[in-house]
Amino acid sequence: MNSLSSAKEKISSGERLNRDEILALYNDNDLLCLAESARRVKESKSGKNVFYTVNRHINLTNVCRANCPLCAFQCRSGSNRAFTLELDDVEKILLDAAQVNGLSEIHIVSSLHPDKNFSYYVDAVKLVKKFLPHVGINAFTPVEIVNFSEIGGLNVADVLRELINAGVTSLAGGGAEILSDRVREIICPKKCSASQWLEVMRTAHKLGLKTNASMMYGHIETISERVDHLLKLRGLQDETGGFQAMMLFPFHPQNTELGRRFNLRRVGSWEDLKMLALSRLVLDNFAHFKAFWVMLTLPIAQLALSFGADDLDGTLGEEKIIHAAGAKSSAGITRGELEQIISETGYLPVERDSFYNRK
């Protein structure tokens, strides 16, 4: 039996796919077959429910010492685009966010500021806890945690403990890009390595922090490297069970050095939906898959609900990182709009908190 035939047989019987079978499914390019299979897996885990949350994004700064070629958000200190929120600024944002009915989560990710010390980030979390004590705080990626470890002179576990004590309830899943050091050396050479990213997540899970996972595809990676990325996530989830949800990000090349250097174009919707469905089949130990509407656009995110996604993330309030790279979607959306998008597909909108508890 060839790899494609065995892959389809395993999908029908609910068995785990191996690397050759995953590659065969990708190369077969049968989008509707993948969609039907992924939808079946999604519904076996969450039924007809599709989740969303009322959340608010806060980006503390875009001043970054990493200067990754993949990033349109970051800039150097002194740039006319540079911003850094001081704690008074964060307080004003939180006072505004406190007026949002049913707010469940504050999401904080930023850049690697060359001058801010670890206590600045801890104090920002403490402010959220002070003004919004009942809201989940999903904050910082493994890339940022490694940076905190370096600037704070602490090991990763102690960094995470301090953030937990300050109020962090879950860890963001960004910064994974592609978990290949060959790729990372080109697209984000000053970020943490693939093994460091995984080790931060392993440590977070051991300390009881739930996290998300992610993959950014559609730049200079090979399909084999995408598959290896998924297998690394699957392996860590087997070990810890700490990942709550998976997010897939198509690379937005506009305004990036990487896009200019390699003359990159954003991949199409076919690729977005194929990767989502395939990932749902590979990551059989992940309960939830997010269709991040800011990255995908609302129409494709809506379609993604038939390709294995069961979560449209949230209302956001204000998103800056992806929009810096040319995203055309709005920076925020209302609860009513999310519910309408979900209901049109025949699924049931379910408002959730950070841990997929119903609101």
Side-chain angles (χ1 to χ4, degrees), residues 41-115:
V41 172
K42 173 258 181 273
E43 292 185 2
S44 73
K45 294 178 182 290
S46 52
K48 290 291 185 179
N49 297 326
V50 169
F51 301 93
Y52 73 93
T53 192
V54 178
N55 62 353
R56 176 67 157 83
H57 277 213
I58 300 177
N59 303 122
L60 295 173
T61 181
N62 66 345
V63 178
C64 190
R65 62 177 176 80
N67 304 122
C68 298
L70 69 81
C71 185
F73 175 68
Q74 59 83 28
C75 63
R76 295 182 184 276
S77 182
S79 165
N80 59 11
R81 292 194 303 109
F83 75 88
T84 300
L85 301 181
E86 299 303 332
L87 295 179
D88 287 348
D89 301 315
V90 175
E91 183 174 327
K92 291 174 185 176
I93 292 171
L94 294 173
L95 289 171
D96 180 65
Q99 306 307 308
V100 176
N101 182 39
L103 184 72
S104 290
E105 181 182 271
I106 294 292
H107 179 87
I108 305 174
V109 294
S110 296
S111 58
L112 311 185
H113 196 288
D115 301 317

Coordinates of all heavy atoms in Angstrom, one line a residue, residues 41-115:
V41 N -13.1 15.4 12.2 CA -12.3 15.4 13.4 C -12.8 16.6 14.3 O -12.9 16.4 15.5 CB -10.8 15.6 13.1 CG1 -10.0 15.8 14.3 CG2 -10.4 14.3 12.3
K42 N -12.9 17.8 13.7 CA -13.4 18.9 14.5 C -14.7 18.6 15.2 O -14.8 18.9 16.4 CB -13.6 20.2 13.6 CG -14.2 21.4 14.3 CD -15.7 21.5 14.0 CE -16.3 22.7 14.6 NZ -16.9 22.5 15.9
E43 N -15.6 18.1 14.5 CA -16.9 17.8 15.2 C -16.9 16.7 16.2 O -17.7 16.7 17.1 CB -18.0 17.6 14.1 CG -18.3 18.8 13.2 CD -19.4 18.7 12.2 OE1 -20.0 17.6 12.2 OE2 -19.6 19.6 11.5
S44 N -15.9 15.8 16.0 CA -15.8 14.8 17.1 C -15.3 15.3 18.4 O -15.5 14.8 19.5 CB -14.8 13.7 16.6 OG -13.5 14.1 16.6
K45 N -14.6 16.5 18.3 CA -14.0 17.1 19.5 C -14.8 18.2 20.1 O -14.9 18.4 21.3 CB -12.6 17.7 19.2 CG -11.6 16.6 18.8 CD -10.2 17.2 18.5 CE -9.2 16.1 18.1 NZ -8.8 15.3 19.2
S46 N -15.5 19.0 19.2 CA -16.3 20.1 19.8 C -17.7 20.2 19.2 O -18.3 21.3 19.4 CB -15.5 21.5 19.5 OG -15.1 21.6 18.2
G47 N -18.1 19.2 18.5 CA -19.5 19.2 18.0 C -19.7 20.3 17.0 O -18.9 20.6 16.2
K48 N -20.9 20.9 17.2 CA -21.3 22.0 16.3 C -20.8 23.4 16.9 O -21.2 24.4 16.3 CB -22.8 22.0 16.0 CG -23.3 20.9 15.2 CD -22.8 21.0 13.7 CE -23.3 20.0 12.8 NZ -22.9 20.2 11.4
N49 N -20.1 23.4 18.0 CA -19.7 24.6 18.6 C -18.6 25.3 17.9 O -17.6 24.6 17.4 CB -19.3 24.4 20.0 CG -20.4 23.8 20.9 OD1 -21.6 24.2 20.7 ND2 -20.1 23.0 21.8
V50 N -18.6 26.6 17.7 CA -17.5 27.4 17.3 C -17.3 28.5 18.3 O -18.2 29.2 18.6 CB -17.7 28.0 15.9 CG1 -16.6 29.0 15.6 CG2 -17.7 26.9 14.8
F51 N -16.1 28.6 18.8 CA -15.8 29.5 20.0 C -15.3 30.9 19.5 O -14.7 31.0 18.4 CB -14.7 28.8 20.9 CG -15.2 27.5 21.4 CD1 -14.8 26.3 20.8 CD2 -15.9 27.4 22.6 CE1 -15.2 25.1 21.3 CE2 -16.3 26.2 23.1 CZ -16.0 25.0 22.4
Y52 N -15.5 31.8 20.4 CA -14.9 33.1 20.2 C -14.8 33.7 21.6 O -15.4 33.3 22.6 CB -15.7 34.0 19.3 CG -17.0 34.5 19.9 CD1 -17.0 35.8 20.6 CD2 -18.1 33.8 19.8 CE1 -18.2 36.2 21.2 CE2 -19.3 34.2 20.4 CZ -19.3 35.5 21.1 OH -20.5 35.9 21.7
T53 N -13.9 34.8 21.8 CA -13.8 35.4 23.0 C -13.8 36.9 22.8 O -13.6 37.4 21.7 CB -12.5 35.0 23.8 OG1 -12.6 35.5 25.1 CG2 -11.3 35.6 23.1
V54 N -14.2 37.7 23.9 CA -14.1 39.1 23.9 C -12.8 39.5 24.5 O -12.6 39.3 25.7 CB -15.3 39.8 24.6 CG1 -15.2 41.3 24.7 CG2 -16.6 39.4 24.0
N55 N -11.9 39.9 23.7 CA -10.5 40.2 24.2 C -10.0 41.5 23.7 O -10.6 42.2 22.9 CB -9.6 39.1 23.8 CG -9.4 38.9 22.3 OD1 -10.1 39.5 21.5 ND2 -8.5 38.0 21.9
R56 N -8.9 41.9 24.2 CA -8.2 43.2 23.9 C -6.7 42.9 23.7 O -6.1 42.4 24.6 CB -8.5 44.2 25.0 CG -7.8 45.6 24.8 CD -8.3 46.3 23.5 NE -8.1 47.8 23.6 CZ -7.0 48.4 23.2 NH1 -6.0 47.7 22.8 NH2 -7.0 49.7 23.2
H57 N -6.2 43.3 22.6 CA -4.7 43.2 22.4 C -4.0 44.4 22.9 O -4.5 45.6 22.6 CB -4.4 43.0 20.9 CG -4.6 41.6 20.4 ND1 -3.8 41.1 19.4 CD2 -5.4 40.6 20.8 CE1 -4.1 39.8 19.2 NE2 -5.1 39.5 20.0
I58 N -2.9 44.2 23.5 CA -2.0 45.3 23.9 C -0.6 45.0 23.4 O 0.0 44.0 23.8 CB -2.0 45.6 25.4 CG1 -3.4 45.9 25.9 CG2 -1.0 46.7 25.8 CD1 -3.5 46.1 27.4
N59 N -0.1 45.9 22.6 CA 1.3 45.8 22.1 C 2.1 46.9 22.9 O 1.9 48.0 22.6 CB 1.5 45.9 20.6 CG 0.6 44.9 19.9 OD1 -0.2 45.3 19.1 ND2 0.9 43.6 20.1
L60 N 3.0 46.5 23.8 CA 3.7 47.4 24.6 C 4.7 48.3 23.9 O 4.9 49.5 24.2 CB 4.4 46.7 25.8 CG 3.5 46.0 26.8 CD1 4.4 45.1 27.7 CD2 2.6 46.9 27.5
T61 N 5.3 47.7 22.9 CA 6.3 48.5 22.1 C 6.6 47.8 20.8 O 6.3 46.6 20.6 CB 7.6 48.6 22.9 OG1 8.6 49.4 22.1 CG2 8.2 47.2 23.2
N62 N 7.1 48.6 19.8 CA 7.5 48.0 18.6 C 9.0 48.2 18.3 O 9.6 47.9 17.3 CB 6.7 48.6 17.4 CG 7.0 50.0 17.1 OD1 7.5 50.8 18.0 ND2 6.5 50.5 16.0
V63 N 9.7 48.8 19.4 CA 11.1 49.0 19.3 C 11.8 47.7 19.6 O 11.6 47.1 20.7 CB 11.6 50.1 20.3 CG1 13.1 50.2 20.2 CG2 10.9 51.4 20.0
C64 N 12.7 47.2 18.7 CA 13.2 45.8 18.8 C 14.6 45.7 18.4 O 15.1 46.3 17.4 CB 12.3 44.9 17.9 SG 12.6 43.1 18.2
R65 N 15.4 45.0 19.2 CA 16.8 44.7 18.9 C 17.0 43.6 18.0 O 18.1 43.4 17.5 CB 17.5 44.5 20.2 CG 17.1 43.2 21.0 CD 18.0 43.0 22.2 NE 17.5 41.9 23.0 CZ 17.8 40.6 22.8 NH1 18.5 40.3 21.7 NH2 17.4 39.6 23.5
A66 N 16.0 42.8 17.7 CA 16.1 41.6 16.9 C 16.2 42.0 15.4 O 16.9 41.3 14.6 CB 15.0 40.6 17.1
N67 N 15.3 42.9 15.0 CA 15.3 43.4 13.6 C 15.1 42.2 12.6 O 15.9 42.1 11.6 CB 16.5 44.2 13.2 CG 16.7 45.4 14.2 OD1 17.7 45.5 14.8 ND2 15.7 46.3 14.2
C68 N 14.2 41.4 12.8 CA 14.0 40.2 12.0 C 13.5 40.6 10.6 O 12.6 41.4 10.4 CB 13.0 39.2 12.6 SG 13.4 38.6 14.2
P69 N 14.1 40.0 9.6 CA 13.7 40.2 8.2 C 12.2 39.9 7.9 O 11.6 40.5 7.0 CB 14.6 39.3 7.3 CG 15.8 39.1 8.2 CD 15.3 39.1 9.6
L70 N 11.6 39.0 8.7 CA 10.2 38.7 8.5 C 9.2 39.7 9.0 O 8.0 39.6 8.7 CB 9.9 37.3 9.1 CG 9.9 37.2 10.6 CD1 8.5 37.6 11.2 CD2 10.1 35.7 11.0
C71 N 9.7 40.7 9.8 CA 8.7 41.5 10.6 C 8.6 42.9 10.0 O 9.6 43.6 9.8 CB 9.2 41.5 12.0 SG 8.1 42.4 13.1
A72 N 7.4 43.3 9.8 CA 7.1 44.7 9.4 C 6.7 45.6 10.6 O 6.6 46.8 10.5 CB 6.0 44.7 8.4
F73 N 6.5 45.0 11.8 CA 6.0 45.7 13.0 C 7.2 46.4 13.7 O 7.1 47.5 14.1 CB 5.4 44.7 13.9 CG 5.0 45.2 15.3 CD1 3.9 46.2 15.4 CD2 5.6 44.8 16.4 CE1 3.6 46.7 16.6 CE2 5.2 45.3 17.7 CZ 4.2 46.3 17.7
Q74 N 8.3 45.7 13.8 CA 9.5 46.2 14.6 C 10.1 47.4 13.9 O 10.1 47.6 12.7 CB 10.5 45.1 14.8 CG 11.1 44.5 13.5 CD 12.2 45.3 12.9 OE1 13.0 45.9 13.6 NE2 12.4 45.2 11.6
C75 N 10.8 48.2 14.7 CA 11.6 49.3 14.2 C 12.7 49.6 15.2 O 12.6 49.1 16.4 CB 10.8 50.5 13.9 SG 10.0 51.3 15.3
R76 N 13.6 50.4 14.8 CA 14.7 50.8 15.7 C 14.3 52.0 16.5 O 13.4 52.8 16.1 CB 16.0 51.1 14.9 CG 16.5 49.9 14.2 CD 17.8 50.3 13.4 NE 18.3 49.2 12.6 CZ 19.1 48.2 13.1 NH1 19.4 48.2 14.4 NH2 19.5 47.2 12.3
S77 N 14.9 52.2 17.7 CA 14.7 53.3 18.5 C 15.0 54.6 17.7 O 16.0 54.6 17.0 CB 15.6 53.2 19.8 OG 15.3 54.3 20.6
G78 N 14.2 55.6 17.8 CA 14.4 56.8 17.1 C 13.6 56.9 15.7 O 13.5 58.0 15.1
S79 N 13.1 55.8 15.3 CA 12.3 55.8 14.1 C 11.0 56.6 14.3 O 10.5 56.6 15.4 CB 11.9 54.3 13.7 OG 10.9 54.3 12.7
N80 N 10.5 57.2 13.2 CA 9.3 57.9 13.4 C 8.1 57.0 13.6 O 7.0 57.5 13.9 CB 9.1 58.9 12.2 CG 9.0 58.1 10.9 OD1 8.9 56.9 10.8 ND2 9.1 58.9 9.8
R81 N 8.3 55.7 13.4 CA 7.2 54.8 13.7 C 7.3 54.2 15.1 O 6.4 53.5 15.6 CB 7.2 53.6 12.7 CG 6.9 53.9 11.3 CD 6.7 52.6 10.5 NE 7.8 51.7 10.6 CZ 7.8 50.5 11.2 NH1 6.7 50.1 11.9 NH2 8.8 49.7 11.2
A82 N 8.3 54.5 15.8 CA 8.6 53.8 17.1 C 7.6 54.3 18.2 O 7.2 55.5 18.2 CB 10.0 54.1 17.6
F83 N 7.1 53.3 19.0 CA 6.3 53.7 20.1 C 6.7 52.7 21.3 O 7.0 51.6 21.1 CB 4.8 53.6 19.8 CG 4.3 52.2 19.8 CD1 3.8 51.5 20.9 CD2 4.3 51.5 18.5 CE1 3.3 50.2 20.8 CE2 3.8 50.2 18.4 CZ 3.3 49.6 19.6
T84 N 6.6 53.2 22.5 CA 6.7 52.4 23.7 C 5.7 52.9 24.7 O 5.8 54.1 25.1 CB 8.2 52.5 24.3 OG1 9.1 52.0 23.3 CG2 8.3 51.6 25.5
L85 N 4.9 52.1 25.2 CA 3.9 52.4 26.2 C 4.5 52.5 27.5 O 5.2 51.5 27.9 CB 2.7 51.5 26.2 CG 1.9 51.3 24.9 CD1 0.8 50.3 25.2 CD2 1.4 52.6 24.4
E86 N 4.4 53.6 28.2 CA 4.8 53.6 29.6 C 3.6 53.1 30.4 O 2.5 52.9 29.9 CB 5.2 55.0 30.0 CG 6.4 55.6 29.2 CD 7.6 54.7 29.3 OE1 7.8 54.0 30.3 OE2 8.4 54.7 28.4
L87 N 3.9 52.9 31.7 CA 2.8 52.2 32.5 C 1.6 53.1 32.6 O 0.4 52.6 32.7 CB 3.4 51.9 33.9 CG 4.5 50.8 33.9 CD1 5.0 50.6 35.3 CD2 4.0 49.5 33.3
D88 N 1.7 54.4 32.6 CA 0.6 55.3 32.6 C -0.3 55.1 31.3 O -1.5 55.2 31.4 CB 1.0 56.8 32.6 CG 1.5 57.2 34.0 OD1 1.3 56.4 35.0 OD2 2.1 58.3 34.1
D89 N 0.4 54.8 30.2 CA -0.3 54.6 28.9 C -1.1 53.3 29.0 O -2.2 53.2 28.6 CB 0.7 54.5 27.8 CG 1.4 55.8 27.6 OD1 0.9 56.9 27.6 OD2 2.7 55.7 27.4
V90 N -0.5 52.3 29.6 CA -1.1 51.0 29.8 C -2.4 51.1 30.7 O -3.4 50.5 30.4 CB -0.2 49.9 30.4 CG1 -0.9 48.6 30.7 CG2 1.0 49.7 29.5
E91 N -2.2 51.9 31.7 CA -3.4 52.1 32.6 C -4.5 52.7 31.9 O -5.7 52.3 32.1 CB -2.9 53.0 33.8 CG -4.0 53.3 34.8 CD -3.5 54.1 36.0 OE1 -2.3 53.9 36.4 OE2 -4.3 54.8 36.6
K92 N -4.3 53.7 31.0 CA -5.4 54.3 30.2 C -6.1 53.3 29.3 O -7.3 53.3 29.2 CB -4.8 55.5 29.4 CG -4.4 56.7 30.2 CD -3.7 57.7 29.3 CE -3.2 58.9 30.2 NZ -2.4 59.9 29.4
I93 N -5.3 52.4 28.7 CA -5.9 51.4 27.8 C -6.7 50.5 28.7 O -7.8 50.1 28.3 CB -4.7 50.6 27.1 CG1 -4.0 51.5 26.1 CG2 -5.3 49.4 26.4 CD1 -2.8 50.9 25.5
L94 N -6.3 50.1 29.8 CA -7.0 49.2 30.7 C -8.3 49.8 31.2 O -9.3 49.1 31.3 CB -6.1 48.7 31.9 CG -4.9 47.9 31.5 CD1 -4.0 47.7 32.7 CD2 -5.3 46.6 30.9
L95 N -8.3 51.1 31.5 CA -9.5 51.8 32.0 C -10.5 51.8 30.8 O -11.7 51.6 31.1 CB -9.1 53.2 32.4 CG -8.4 53.3 33.7 CD1 -7.9 54.7 34.0 CD2 -9.2 52.8 34.9
D96 N -10.0 52.0 29.6 CA -10.9 51.9 28.5 C -11.5 50.5 28.3 O -12.6 50.3 28.0 CB -10.2 52.4 27.2 CG -11.1 52.4 26.0 OD1 -12.0 53.1 25.9 OD2 -10.8 51.6 25.1
A97 N -10.6 49.5 28.4 CA -11.0 48.1 28.2 C -12.0 47.7 29.2 O -12.8 46.8 29.0 CB -9.7 47.2 28.2
A98 N -11.9 48.2 30.4 CA -12.8 47.8 31.5 C -14.2 48.2 31.2 O -15.2 47.7 31.8 CB -12.4 48.5 32.8
Q99 N -14.4 49.1 30.2 CA -15.8 49.4 29.8 C -16.4 48.4 28.8 O -17.6 48.5 28.5 CB -15.8 50.8 29.2 CG -15.1 51.9 30.0 CD -15.7 52.0 31.4 OE1 -16.9 52.1 31.6 NE2 -14.8 52.0 32.4
V100 N -15.6 47.5 28.3 CA -16.1 46.6 27.3 C -16.9 45.5 28.1 O -16.4 44.8 29.0 CB -14.9 45.9 26.6 CG1 -15.5 44.8 25.6 CG2 -14.2 47.0 25.8
N101 N -18.1 45.3 27.6 CA -19.0 44.3 28.3 C -18.5 42.9 28.0 O -18.3 42.5 26.9 CB -20.5 44.5 27.7 CG -21.4 43.5 28.4 OD1 -21.4 43.3 29.6 ND2 -22.3 43.0 27.6
G102 N -18.3 42.2 29.1 CA -18.0 40.8 29.0 C -16.5 40.5 28.6 O -16.2 39.4 28.2
L103 N -15.7 41.5 28.8 CA -14.2 41.3 28.4 C -13.7 40.1 29.2 O -13.8 40.0 30.4 CB -13.4 42.5 28.8 CG -11.9 42.5 28.4 CD1 -11.8 42.6 26.9 CD2 -11.2 43.6 29.1
S104 N -13.1 39.1 28.5 CA -12.6 37.9 29.1 C -11.1 37.8 29.1 O -10.5 37.1 30.0 CB -13.1 36.7 28.3 OG -14.5 36.5 28.5
E105 N -10.4 38.5 28.2 CA -8.9 38.3 28.1 C -8.2 39.5 27.6 O -8.7 40.2 26.7 CB -8.7 37.1 27.1 CG -7.2 36.7 26.9 CD -7.1 35.6 25.9 OE1 -7.2 34.4 26.3 OE2 -6.9 35.9 24.7
I106 N -7.0 39.7 28.2 CA -6.1 40.7 27.7 C -4.9 39.9 27.1 O -4.4 39.0 27.7 CB -5.6 41.6 28.8 CG1 -6.7 42.5 29.3 CG2 -4.4 42.5 28.3 CD1 -7.2 43.6 28.4
H107 N -4.6 40.3 25.9 CA -3.5 39.6 25.1 C -2.3 40.5 25.0 O -2.5 41.6 24.3 CB -4.1 39.1 23.8 CG -3.1 38.4 22.9 ND1 -2.8 37.0 23.0 CD2 -2.2 38.8 22.0 CE1 -1.9 36.7 22.2 NE2 -1.5 37.8 21.5
I108 N -1.2 40.2 25.5 CA 0.0 41.1 25.4 C 1.1 40.4 24.7 O 1.6 39.3 25.2 CB 0.5 41.5 26.8 CG1 -0.7 42.1 27.7 CG2 1.6 42.5 26.7 CD1 -0.3 42.4 29.1
V109 N 1.5 40.9 23.6 CA 2.8 40.5 22.9 C 3.5 41.8 22.4 O 2.8 42.8 22.1 CB 2.6 39.5 21.8 CG1 2.1 38.2 22.3 CG2 1.7 40.1 20.7
S110 N 4.8 41.8 22.4 CA 5.5 43.0 22.0 C 6.8 42.6 21.3 O 6.9 41.5 20.7 CB 5.9 43.8 23.2 OG 4.7 44.3 23.9
S111 N 7.7 43.5 21.3 CA 9.0 43.2 20.7 C 10.1 43.1 21.7 O 9.8 43.1 22.9 CB 9.4 44.4 19.7 OG 9.4 45.6 20.4
L112 N 11.3 43.0 21.3 CA 12.4 42.8 22.2 C 13.1 44.2 22.4 O 14.1 44.5 21.7 CB 13.4 41.8 21.7 CG 12.8 40.4 21.3 CD1 14.0 39.4 20.9 CD2 11.9 39.8 22.3
H113 N 12.6 45.0 23.3 CA 13.1 46.3 23.5 C 14.5 46.3 24.0 O 14.8 45.6 24.9 CB 12.2 47.1 24.4 CG 12.3 48.6 24.4 ND1 13.5 49.2 24.9 CD2 11.5 49.6 23.8 CE1 13.3 50.5 24.7 NE2 12.2 50.8 24.1
P114 N 15.4 47.1 23.4 CA 16.8 47.0 23.8 C 17.1 47.6 25.2 O 18.1 47.3 25.8 CB 17.6 47.8 22.7 CG 16.5 48.7 22.2 CD 15.2 48.0 22.3
D115 N 16.2 48.4 25.7 CA 16.5 49.1 27.0 C 15.5 48.8 28.2 O 15.9 49.0 29.3 CB 16.4 50.7 26.8 CG 17.4 51.1 25.7 OD1 18.5 50.6 25.7 OD2 17.0 51.9 24.8

